[in-house]
Amino acid sequence: MNEQIDRHFEWIAENPRYGYLIVGGILLLWLIGVICGWKWTYEPNRWGWHWVRDTFGEKALRICVGALLVIALAGVACLYFATA
């Protein structure tokens, strides 16, 4: 089992474009969850995010997380197209 996992990691290291696609897909799913209001996607688990939610409200927290995800998706897209 470890051999297969190692082979997959080696393959992704040799072909980083597919790794960027996988990461982009996960980030896109996370962003869709934030937009749809799925609690697990933006539920704060650190003091800083609790402060943001308590101070500005849940909607502002969702907007902050969504903005960070859009920036991350843009970065992954740039990396994907730069490795062409």
Side-chain angles (χ1 to χ4, degrees), residues 21-40:
L21 279 178
I22 293 168
V23 170
I26 292 169
L27 289 175
L28 187 61
L29 177 67
W30 190 1
L31 181 63
I32 290 170
V34 169
I35 292 170
C36 291
W38 300 339
K39 292 256 186 216
W40 64 270

Side-chain angles (χ1 to χ4, degrees), residues 45-59:
N45 58 0
R46 293 199 172 89
W47 180 83
W49 287 115
H50 281 293
W51 178 81
V52 171
R53 186 189 65 192
D54 293 342
T55 305
F56 301 109
E58 192 171 291
K59 186 175 181 179

Side-chain angles (χ1 to χ4, degrees), residues 16-21 23 71-84:
R17 289 192 73 172
Y18 297 110
Y20 296 140
L21 279 178
V23 170
I71 292 168
L73 272 169
V76 169
C78 287
L79 289 171
Y80 176 77
F81 290 117
T83 57

Side-chain angles (χ1 to χ4, degrees), residues 8-22 83:
H8 287 339
F9 281 128
E10 289 174 6
W11 182 78
I12 288 175
E14 292 171 2
N15 304 301
R17 289 192 73 172
Y18 297 110
Y20 296 140
L21 279 178
I22 293 168
T83 57

